[in-house]
């Protein structure tokens, strides 16, 4: 493994941990108290705004690092014709869907907070955050399968 490969793997895994952990944290530790009105609007906006930025920066990191790994490890045939390739494509699909869910949820929540509301926007965003959290667990499980050295 070259230095660049090691750097790309590290960037990819590091951002994956940061991003999925952030999605799970917001969905499980921030949204429930927000629906009860137990969190101030400014604090909620700061946390959700940070998640939005983490999501966007992670997207760039995933594009660069994942693109490098896919380009050096796979061909079109191995991506579409092997179990490991299918896992990579599954991860890619999950990444797109989770990113979309986070963007929709954070947009709903931040628009509501900007309008001076808290509970209603949190309730409106909750299914999207919960969906993103559930799919994040699926993404982690898929990554675990892909990391299995014995293959799939």
């Amino acid at each position: 493994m070259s230095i660049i490969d090691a750097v790309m793997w590290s960037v990819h895994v590091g951002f994956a941990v940061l991003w999925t952990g952030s999605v799970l944290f917001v969905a499980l530790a921030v949204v429930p108290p927000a629906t009860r009105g137990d969190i101030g609007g400014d604090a909620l906006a700061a946390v959700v705004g940070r998640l939005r930025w983490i999501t966007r920066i992670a997207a760039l990191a995933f594009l660069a690092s994942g693109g490098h790994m896919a380009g050096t490890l796979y061909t079109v045939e191995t991506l579409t014709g092997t179990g490991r390739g299918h896992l990579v494509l599954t991860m890619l699909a999950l990444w797109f869907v989770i990113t979309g869910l986070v963007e929709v949820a954070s947009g709903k929540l931040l628009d509501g907070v900007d309008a001076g509301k808290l509970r209603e926007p949190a309730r409106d965003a909750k299914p999207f955050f919960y969906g993103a959290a559930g799919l994040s667990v699926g993404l982690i499980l898929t990554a675990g399968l892909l990391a299995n050295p014995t293959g799939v």
Side-chain angles (χ1 to χ4, degrees):
M1 176 182 283
S2 71
I3 295 293
I4 190 75
D5 292 340
V7 168
M8 290 297 162
W9 278 96
S10 298
V11 166
H12 201 77
V13 170
F15 272 99
V17 169
L18 173 66
W19 182 54
T20 56
S22 297
V23 169
L24 290 166
F25 175 76
V26 169
L28 302 176
V30 176
V31 171
T35 61
R36 297 187 304 267
D38 293 342
I39 295 177
D42 290 342
L44 180 62
V47 170
V48 171
R50 184 69 45 99
L51 172 62
R52 186 180 250 185
W53 277 109
I54 289 170
T55 298
R56 292 172 180 177
I57 292 167
L60 296 174
F62 293 146
L63 209 61
S65 60
H68 171 81
M69 290 187 297
T72 58
L73 297 174
Y74 297 96
T75 63
V76 172
E77 292 79 25
T78 57
L79 276 174
T80 59
T82 66
R84 293 184 67 76
H86 293 155
L87 288 173
V88 170
L89 294 175
T90 299
M91 289 183 77
L92 184 63
L94 287 169
W95 169 52
F96 278 124
V97 174
I98 296 165
T99 298
L101 289 170
V102 168
E103 286 293 329
V104 169
S106 59
K108 286 180 172 292
L109 205 141
L110 292 174
D111 287 348
V113 170
D114 287 346
K117 298 179 180 181
L118 179 62
R119 291 180 189 156
E120 182 182 344
R123 278 192 297 273
D124 291 346
K126 186 166 107 172
F128 296 97
F129 278 125
Y130 282 8
L135 292 176
S136 291
V137 171
L139 184 69
I140 292 166
L141 293 172
T142 305
L145 290 171
L146 191 58
N148 181 1
T150 60
V152 178

